[in-house]
Amino acid sequence: MNKDADTLVSRDAGADPQVAAANRQAAPEAAQVATSHRASRQAAGQSRFHESARAQVAGVATYVDDIPEIKGTLFAAPILSTVAYGKLLGVDSTAALAMPGVCGVILAADIPGDGTLASFAQDEPVFAKDTVQHIGQVIGLVVADSVMRARRAARKVVCNIEPLKAIFNVHDAMAAESFVLPPVFVNRGDAEAALASAEHTLSGTLEVGGQEHFYLEGQVAYAVPQEQNQWVVYSSTQHPGEVQHWVSHALGLDNHAVRVECRRMGGGFGGKETQAGHLAVWAAIAANKLKCPVKLRLDRDDDFMVTGKRHPFAYDYTVGFDGSGRITGLKLTMMANCGFSADLSGPVADRAVFHADNAYFLEDVAIASYRLKTNTQSHTAFRGFGGPQGVIVIEAIMGDIARTLGLDPIDVRKRNLYGVKERNVTHYQMKVEDNILAPLIATLENSSNYRERRSAIANWNATSPVIKRGIAITPVKFGISFTATLFNQAGALVHVYTDGSVQVNHGGTEMGQGLNTKVCQIVADELGVPYEAVLATASDTSKIPNASATAASAGTDLNARAAQYAARNVRDNLAAFVAGLDRCGAGAVQFSCGEVITPTGRRPFTEVVKLAYANRIQLWSDGFYRTPKIHYDKTTLTGRPFYYFAYGAACTEVAIDTLTGESRVLKVDILHDVGTSINPAIDIGQIEGGFVQGMGWLTTEQLVWNDKGYLATHAPSTYKIPATGDIPEHFKVDLWPEPNREDNVFGSKAVGEPPFMLAISVYEALRDAVGNAVDVAAPGSKPVSLTAPATAENVLKSLTG
């Protein structure tokens, strides 16, 4: 996988050398910069195995449910509401308490601290008390001496609920003015005047569904009481610091009395950013009442019923444009289905507003964002965090414009791209300073043979009456940083032991994305030691306090930089010590390949460490990093919320069966910008995984609530994530070979979330195929209406509607 810096890193062994040449022409300094990086570093820039890979394959990697239970541990199961909205009149637990092994029932009255979760909006009860607000809301727990006994007993609890009129969709919520948070409006220029004077106008609607996280490891927490009212909580969480805060708040304790640890998660995708906190709180309250450790692990069905999803969105728009397809005015209404509480809906909906431009300059624009309350699970963070819901609507608009004018959609997209020296300020007043959109798209257009394939598809469709094909290229411009500026900080500890081995601890969490691997690579290079000498340990609130969630694609940007600074402090201590020994300046001391080198000699790193310890030199240090340049006014949604943008584009070809609506992805070509990759194998894996997960969101993963508010798709039997058979044989990923233009760790860019939105090319290709089936695109063609996800049923409706 290790290639020279002046070529693209590609998953496909047959990567086209013309692609690399085109990229070198687009970014002439990239190869020299990348080469200089790799010349001075031995660990970063290489495709290292994931630090837990061998343990995971061998089945010995420990997750929360694998931790051996302490003697006396009990097990909890949730008591769930069976009514979407109603008055909770009483709870009868007589039958449950009479069952074998049952030790107690935990209800709202058993909470020793605050009965409201310590969430941002403080609008969600720990346990439902007077009302229930969705089917699956947790009313309490049954605790027993085994998991299955607790679960069976929980189903024997009888809840007396008087039903009330519930709201299940955003249109009814809008009519009832049912909001979890106030609406937000962002305007630039005069959209009304621009639309009135536009050469062409077009109005439309779009519905996009939510998405279940479907992490392989479900939600789980293990609460263990300690002496003197102290606690240890093992939590599968992306945010140990928030779990610590929530648990202490519910128990009526100071934060320092609660320690939260997370070695790894079996997937998170945003679903364990806030909602892991619920399980930790519930388990801790039960453990507090029963005075023993309590473990709570949701089974898959309950996990579906209890936890929130990606926010479903609905949109209304009117767009004005000229004869070339350039947008001259846009009015856009975004309606986010937030569920019954705010959770993270505010920043999710904000990011959707920020990304409603995607790659395109919008001069006269008016965006209205509504955060709507419905009687469903409280929707939450999911990979992209509102970005996908913003990107998809503008891409759909681009496709509608192209079809209306009879133009190739890629030409309409290119016509509207942000410029480099002009047309380069977003609708939220941030200047786009690192724009590589035009050369990146041009390179992919050429390397994927888009024009030739589009012509071949037209010929295919002309002779194929049933199977129709479509193709699309869509770009991505995704902002990197937490939009809430205060979260853009991180801390780390680096310990060098007397045998020369190194331990690093940071505030990020490992969920399979390779964060710890990248951190170890960076620390190894900073100290000039082999990668194998560095070990990353479990996230722990007693080591790094107040850490931000591992989210917003910023895990490596923040934590690897903090760890680099900590390692640098230790290195500087050693350099000053060795400089004194060899009578040279500390700047002349180099650390490389396990050696410490001065103008007069070289010593093994291990020997230097032992000498330093004998001379009482500090061999550990902390490191702290805060993202520079960012600022943001949350009242006006203006400023510079992002440190930089990550870019990419995908070309996808699909086929649909016009008799059944079934579809298949045939070919995918991706060109994505990760800066100078710290670990190309991990980055390509993230790109592939993100794309496939996005493909699932837009094709097969359909959430269905019935007219009572019951989630009918609550198991793998009814909720379909992509499987191996859905992956196209031609799936080619190339990396854009230019370092981050901002001063980021190793010149890298974030890679967790941006590739997810590359899958919007699947949706646009499906719309292209539907359009090709309905009629030949020509000026005046009707835009294709296709509800997402584009299931067989929805494709068939689009074909016949």
Side-chain angles (χ1 to χ4, degrees), residues 13-33:
D16 187 347
Q18 291 182 346
V19 178
N23 281 308
R24 285 196 300 270
Q25 185 176 6
E29 298 178 3
Q32 290 182 346
V33 174

Side-chain angles (χ1 to χ4, degrees), residues 53-76:
R54 290 183 175 87
Q56 287 166 323
V57 170
V60 295
T62 301
Y63 296 86
V64 171
D65 203 33
D66 298 320
I67 297 171
E69 286 104 12
I70 296 169
K71 184 178 180 181
T73 293
L74 298 177
F75 303 87

